[in-house]
Amino acid sequence: MDKTNDLQTLQECLDEYMIRTGRHEIDEIEANSALARAGLLSDEDQHPGRPLRDILIRLRDSNHLPQNIRQMYGMWKIKLSGTIAKYPLILQF
């Protein structure tokens, strides 16, 4: 599997988790925990969320970070990808 399919698989798993729990946004620690339970990405006991943070940092640095993931004040926030507009709206009046 290439990186695009890996990222898509991770996003689908996180979307399913958020829909199942009724959440619209989660942080990287909760996301990494959900991915570890699904068997897609291991988690560290001493530094929870680090494997996912490393992936997100690489995506950010290569300018491939998905639109539904953002970093604010050192914390990563992951939104449900179905809530993101597919096309930007211009002249919304």
Side-chain angles (χ1 to χ4, degrees):
M1 234 176 2
D2 62 357
K3 291 182 181 182
T4 305
N5 288 337
D6 289 344
L7 180 62
Q8 186 176 5
T9 304
L10 295 178
Q11 273 202 312
E12 287 173 1
C13 180
L14 291 176
D15 284 345
E16 289 173 11
Y17 170 77
M18 285 187 267
I19 289 170
R20 190 173 58 246
T21 59
R23 311 268 315 267
H24 295 285
E25 184 177 78
I26 57 175
D27 63 357
E28 78 274 8
I29 295 172
E30 185 176 358
N32 205 147
S33 176
L35 292 171
R37 280 192 299 266
L40 295 175
L41 186 66
S42 62
D43 199 3
E44 293 182 6
D45 291 333
Q46 297 209 358
H47 303 285
R50 179 185 273 179
L52 183 60
R53 273 194 301 274
D54 292 342
I55 291 171
L56 296 176
I57 288 169
R58 273 188 267 125
L59 289 171
R60 181 198 62 199
D61 292 347
S62 66
N63 204 21
H64 288 100
L65 194 65
Q67 192 177 14
N68 65 317
I69 302 173
R70 69 190 192 298
Q71 186 180 24
M72 290 181 50
Y73 306 112
M75 289 190 64
W76 290 93
K77 296 294 184 179
I78 303 168
K79 287 188 175 186
L80 188 63
S81 67
T83 60
I84 304 300
K86 298 293 183 195
Y87 301 102
L89 297 175
I90 300 174
L91 302 174
Q92 299 179 16
F93 56 97

